[in-house]
């Protein structure tokens, strides 16, 4: 009886199907909402990447003005570093002393220039605006006499609109106080960067993984070398154009030669567009005397620009950054429209940095592919 009862109870229990899986067993896979799911964390990473890209772009737009100031300080620091390195070839002393000598020399040169030409340039600068207005009025009258009715007020309004379209950053530089404070801020930051360039380059490389730091140091050195050559070419071009313009204008008897030379030197820092602006000023002042001096002014402008474009720029600047002129001009127009005069002045260095970074990245990628 006992045996038959036990066997009866065993037969009452229904056998488990062979294809059923135990609930909550070891073969259970986590769902997409489970924190341990690989798909969950992959999607989280993708979302964070997109949020970071969008947030970074928005942050750049909001902070474009201080970023341009920092870039300007880096460019000035590169020029100071280049001068310090040049002094190191003739003065075997510490870097700090060489930088101090360079700063004293720059301050002495600026003081001498202001003392020597300050009164003359100030008088000429006061005479320049009414002279330009009178010449524009004469051009407007000449055009009206030939059937082209463009009023002086319309031409002045067009010029104001053109200057106003240079961007948002110029609003901060509209006053003399704002310009001086910005220049002082960039100058102080540049001195700190130039004084301890290796320290700051190591600090930047510290953010890179240890196995990539050698590549980061090589990239920083390449960027510094390229910017030094680029800015050296620009400084030489500025000096040559300014000095030649002042001397030649003085020789032919065009008034305000000193002021026009100084303006040409300063405007040469704005590539391409600065040369056009200086050419317009030189031509207007030349024709204010008579037609002959106006033609002399046009000839001097083209002669100086030919020397700068075909002798200086090819031998220095274009060897540093081999970029097609159309791309350079397009970048200048884009940066000038978006970020103002400061963006226009920094278009070449920013483009050079982007080019070197992309080239080095492509070289490393090709090297890895060849090794694999």
């Amino acid at each position: 009886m006992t045996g038959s009862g036990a066997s009866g109870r065993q037969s009452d229990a229904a056998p488990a199907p062979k294809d059923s899986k135990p609930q909550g067993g070891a073969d259970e896979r986590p769902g997409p909402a489970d924190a341990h799911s690989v798909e969950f964390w992959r999607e989280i990473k993708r979302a964070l990447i997109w949020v970071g890209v969008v947030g970074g772009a928005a942050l750049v737009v909001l902070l474009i003005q201080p970023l341009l100031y920092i870039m300007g300080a880096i460019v000035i620091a590169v020029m100071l570093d280049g001068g310090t390195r040049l002094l190191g070839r003739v003065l075997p002393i510490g870097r700090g002393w060489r930088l101090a000598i360079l700063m004293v020399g720059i301050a002495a040169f600026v003081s001498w220039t202001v003392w020597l030409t300050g009164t003359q340039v100030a008088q000429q600068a006061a005479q320049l605006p009414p002279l330009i207005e009178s010449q524009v009025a004469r051009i407007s009258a000449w055009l009206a006499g030939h059937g082209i009715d463009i009023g002086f007020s319309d031409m002045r309004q067009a010029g104001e609109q053109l200057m106003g379209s240079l961007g948002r950053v110029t609003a901060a530089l509209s006053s003399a106080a704002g310009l001086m404070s910005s220049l002082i801020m960039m100058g102080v930051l540049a001195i700190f960067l130039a004084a301890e360039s290796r320290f700051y380059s190591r600090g930047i490389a510290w953010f890179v993984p240890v196995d990539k730091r050698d590549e980061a140091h090589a990239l920083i050195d390449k960027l510094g070398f390229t910017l030094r050559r680029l800015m050296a070419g620009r400084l030489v071009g500025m000096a040559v154009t300014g000095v030649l313009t002042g001397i030649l204008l003085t020789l032919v008897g065009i008034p305000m030669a000193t002021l026009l030379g100084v303006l040409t030197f300063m405007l040469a820092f704005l590539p391409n567009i600065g040369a056009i602006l200086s050419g317009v000023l030189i031509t207007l002042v030349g024709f204010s005397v008579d037609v002959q001096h106006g033609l002399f002014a046009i000839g001097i402008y083209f002669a100086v620009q030919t020397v700068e474009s075909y002798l200086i720029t090819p031998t220095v600047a274009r060897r540093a950054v081999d970029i097609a002129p159309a791309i350079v001009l397009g970048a200048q127009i884009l940066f000038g429209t978006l970020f103002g005069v400061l963006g226009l002045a920094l278009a070449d260095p920013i483009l050079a940095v982007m080019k070197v970074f992309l080239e080095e990245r492509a070289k490393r990628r090709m090297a890895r592919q060849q090794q694999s």
Side-chain angles (χ1 to χ4, degrees), residues 1 5-6 35 42 46 49 55 81 87 103 122 144 154 164 187 205 239 251 260 322 348 365 371:
M1 294 293 293
R42 185 180 295 118
R46 290 177 180 175
I49 290 174
D81 181 66
L87 285 178
M103 295 300 301
D154 296 333
L251 292 177
L260 291 174
D322 186 16
D348 285 8
R365 183 176 297 177
Q371 292 176 358

Side-chain angles (χ1 to χ4, degrees), residues 159-171:
E160 291 176 354
Q161 291 177 354
L162 177 63
M163 295 302 295
S165 64
L166 289 176
R168 300 184 303 271
V169 178
T170 52

Side-chain angles (χ1 to χ4, degrees), residues 28-41:
E28 186 75 15
R29 298 181 62 187
D34 198 303
H36 300 285
S37 171
V38 178
E39 291 82 2
F40 174 82
W41 287 110

Side-chain angles (χ1 to χ4, degrees), residues 30 62 154 167 185 223 277 299 334 348 359:
L62 292 175
D154 296 333
M185 180 175 59
L223 290 174
L277 294 176
L334 178 62
D348 285 8
E359 283 183 346

Side-chain angles (χ1 to χ4, degrees), residues 134-163:
S134 64
Q135 289 299 99
V136 171
R138 289 177 58 185
I139 294 174
S140 178
W142 182 84
L143 291 175
H146 289 76
I148 303 175
D149 189 10
I150 300 178
F152 173 72
S153 60
D154 296 333
M155 297 182 67
R156 184 172 59 183
Q157 183 179 3
E160 291 176 354
Q161 291 177 354
L162 177 63
M163 295 302 295

Side-chain angles (χ1 to χ4, degrees), residues 10 40 43 46 120 147 159 166 185 193 217 255 330 332 344 358 370:
Q10 291 177 359
F40 174 82
E43 294 299 326
R46 290 177 180 175
Q120 182 181 3
L166 289 176
M185 180 175 59
L193 292 175
H217 284 297
Q332 292 167 3
L344 175 63
L358 294 176
Q370 292 175 358

Side-chain angles (χ1 to χ4, degrees), residues 299-342:
I300 290 172
Y301 167 74
F302 280 107
V304 171
Q305 292 303 317
T306 299
V307 171
E308 194 273 337
S309 300
Y310 291 96
L311 293 180
I312 300 172
T313 302
T315 55
V316 182
R318 289 179 185 174
R319 290 184 181 180
V321 184
D322 186 16
I323 305 177
I327 298 177
V328 176
L329 182 58
Q332 292 167 3
I333 295 173
L334 178 62
F335 279 85
T337 303
L338 292 177
F339 309 129
V341 177
L342 192 58

